[in-house]
Amino acid sequence: MQVDYSLAALRAWRLEFAGRVGLVPTMGALHAGHLRLVEQAQAENDAVVVSIFVNPTQFAATEDLSSYPRTLEADLALLARAGVNRVLVPTPEQVYPPRFQTYVNVEQVSKGLEGASRPTHFRGVTTVVLKLFNLVQPHRAYFGQKDAQQVVVIRQMVRDLNVPVDIRVVPTVREPDGLALSSRNVYLTPSERELAPMLYRALQAAADAYAHTARDPQHLRALMHARLSEVGALHVDYISVADAQTLEELYSPQAAPMLVSLAVQIGKPRLLDNCLLPLELNTLEGLTANLGGS
Ligand code: AMP
């Protein structure tokens, strides 16, 4: 496995490499969710590049940039064991050199949900992802359903800017008790960790109601609020039932697929989770297939 600490080294390899390239962008502190993206990328490409970069522009000044978990040595060992070809570990100074001043902003679908609480977040994500696409020039890039809005935002960017990358969406990997794997789960104290599967249980309550034809979004949101308010130590940031393609919040039942998502603060970390209804959809991939780049 080759580890590139410089953009130039990666570019030199890419200019020579003629096969299909899959890119897995990450912020490190790798877990089995990231490895699932890697596995799928390996199955579909001749070489896989994993990037590890804690992207400063997607953190607001008040957020956890400096304390975000960094476990580079363990990450590299995991990726070597998984048989990854190349890992790109750039410095912030290389990615954002002095006088950097160009950002990508996807206007509508970046605004709600995460965007409402984190207004500059997606601008940072789309900017770094487009830079990675330009540097690595992958045929396919792999993202987790766990960050569903990120998928919608990136697919929109790819469509709007004619970026020739196929966006693949990988199902959420969970702990046995339902908690979605996340690098931020390490912040949970043992007692908070016990409460954390409540996010998944609230989603399951909504999915059960939906399966029994209780499909009114207002009802589903109320149901999830009720489940979460049973637990005092949680602070609900949002609970959303939205159109899965436009991310517009829904107020009456509709036949089209819905994205049910929530953000909850438990102690230090703010945890996210989501599901699609009907549940059989599993990921946004099929739903947004008509948005592919050209
Ligand atoms: P991060 O390092 O948190 O920026 O995540 C890198 C990629 O891994 C993103 O596309 C995430 O959506 C994806 N990811 C994170 N957690 C999971 C998970 N539990 N299951 C599947 N994909 C995940």
Side-chain angles (χ1 to χ4, degrees), residues 25-28 31 33-34 37 68 143-144 146-147 150 171-173 181:
T26 81
M27 298 206 299
H31 51 65
H34 297 110
L37 272 62
Y68 193 84
F143 295 90
K146 168 157 176 296
D147 298 286
Q150 173 168 279
T172 302
V173 178
L181 298 189

Side-chain angles (χ1 to χ4, degrees), residues 154-286:
I154 288 170
R155 292 200 71 127
Q156 187 71 42
M157 172 184 79
V158 161
R159 180 177 80 149
D160 290 351
L161 300 182
N162 306 93
V163 181
V165 177
D166 185 12
I167 304 302
R168 309 287 278 150
V169 189
V170 179
T172 302
V173 178
R174 300 178 179 282
E175 300 281 6
D177 62 9
L179 175 64
L181 298 189
S182 163
S183 304
R184 289 186 168 100
N185 289 352
V186 297
Y187 295 139
L188 294 166
T189 65
S191 60
E192 291 162 357
R193 173 65 188 81
E194 271 180 40
L195 300 179
M198 280 308 292
L199 277 79
Y200 180 61
R201 284 187 218 130
L203 291 172
Q204 276 186 315
D208 286 349
Y210 182 89
H212 291 91
T213 69
R215 298 187 174 176
D216 178 0
Q218 316 250 44
H219 169 70
L220 297 178
R221 277 189 294 267
L223 193 72
M224 289 191 287
H225 260 297
R227 287 308 296 270
L228 290 168
S229 61
E230 289 164 17
V231 189
L234 309 182
H235 169 73
V236 176
D237 186 357
Y238 63 79
I239 291 177
S240 161
V241 180
D243 180 295
Q245 307 222 45
T246 64
L247 301 188
E248 277 162 23
E249 201 60 29
L250 295 172
Y251 296 95
S252 57
Q254 64 158 20
M258 303 196 285
L259 176 69
V260 182
S261 57
L262 70 174
V264 174
Q265 185 107 28
I266 307 184
K268 186 170 175 226
R270 186 170 163 281
L271 303 181
L272 307 184
D273 206 344
N274 71 78
C275 69
L276 286 168
L277 295 179
L279 272 184
E280 297 71 45
L281 284 171
N282 207 14
T283 77
L284 285 162
E285 184 160 285

Side-chain angles (χ1 to χ4, degrees), residues 9-271:
L10 187 279
R11 291 290 295 136
W13 166 77
R14 187 64 188 92
L15 287 172
E16 295 296 311
F17 188 78
R20 312 287 293 178
V21 175
L23 170 66
V24 180
T26 81
M27 298 206 299
L30 300 181
H31 51 65
H34 297 110
L35 294 181
R36 180 77 191 275
L37 272 62
V38 167
E39 265 168 43
Q40 192 173 327
Q42 287 173 319
E44 297 177 352
N45 300 279
D46 302 311
V48 171
V49 177
V50 175
S51 60
I52 298 180
F53 180 59
V54 183
N55 176 35
T57 60
Q58 70 190 66
F59 289 77
T62 50
E63 294 176 359
D64 58 346
L65 173 63
S66 60
S67 65
Y68 193 84
R70 286 166 171 84
T71 57
L72 185 60
E73 242 176 79
D75 291 350
L76 294 178
L78 272 179
L79 295 176
R81 216 175 311 137
V84 164
N85 305 83
R86 293 192 92 91
V87 186
L88 174 64
V89 191
T91 60
E93 293 73 24
Q94 285 183 78
V95 178
Y96 299 108
R99 304 198 321 279
F100 181 90
Q101 52 191 294
T102 305
Y103 292 88
V104 181
N105 190 31
V106 176
E107 299 202 347
Q108 288 306 325
V109 289
S110 296
K111 276 189 183 144
L113 306 174
E114 285 302 285
S117 306
R118 310 180 69 192
T120 57
H121 173 67
F122 285 115
R123 178 180 101 131
V125 170
T126 43
T127 300
V128 83
V129 167
L130 187 61
K131 283 174 68 83
L132 289 168
F133 286 180
N134 287 333
L135 288 160
V136 178
Q137 300 192 1
H139 296 83
R140 302 186 183 88
Y142 294 79
F143 295 90
Q145 171 67 26
K146 168 157 176 296
D147 298 286
Q149 188 178 11
Q150 173 168 279
V151 168
V152 173
V153 168
I154 288 170
R155 292 200 71 127
Q156 187 71 42
M157 172 184 79
V158 161
R159 180 177 80 149
D160 290 351
L161 300 182
N162 306 93
V163 181
V165 177
D166 185 12
I167 304 302
R168 309 287 278 150
V169 189
V170 179
T172 302
V173 178
R174 300 178 179 282
E175 300 281 6
D177 62 9
L179 175 64
L181 298 189
S182 163
S183 304
R184 289 186 168 100
N185 289 352
V186 297
Y187 295 139
L188 294 166
T189 65
S191 60
E192 291 162 357
R193 173 65 188 81
E194 271 180 40
L195 300 179
M198 280 308 292
L199 277 79
Y200 180 61
R201 284 187 218 130
L203 291 172
Q204 276 186 315
D208 286 349
Y210 182 89
H212 291 91
T213 69
R215 298 187 174 176
D216 178 0
Q218 316 250 44
H219 169 70
L220 297 178
R221 277 189 294 267
L223 193 72
M224 289 191 287
H225 260 297
R227 287 308 296 270
L228 290 168
S229 61
E230 289 164 17
V231 189
L234 309 182
H235 169 73
V236 176
D237 186 357
Y238 63 79
I239 291 177
S240 161
V241 180
D243 180 295
Q245 307 222 45
T246 64
L247 301 188
E248 277 162 23
E249 201 60 29
L250 295 172
Y251 296 95
S252 57
Q254 64 158 20
M258 303 196 285
L259 176 69
V260 182
S261 57
L262 70 174
V264 174
Q265 185 107 28
I266 307 184
K268 186 170 175 226
R270 186 170 163 281
L271 303 181

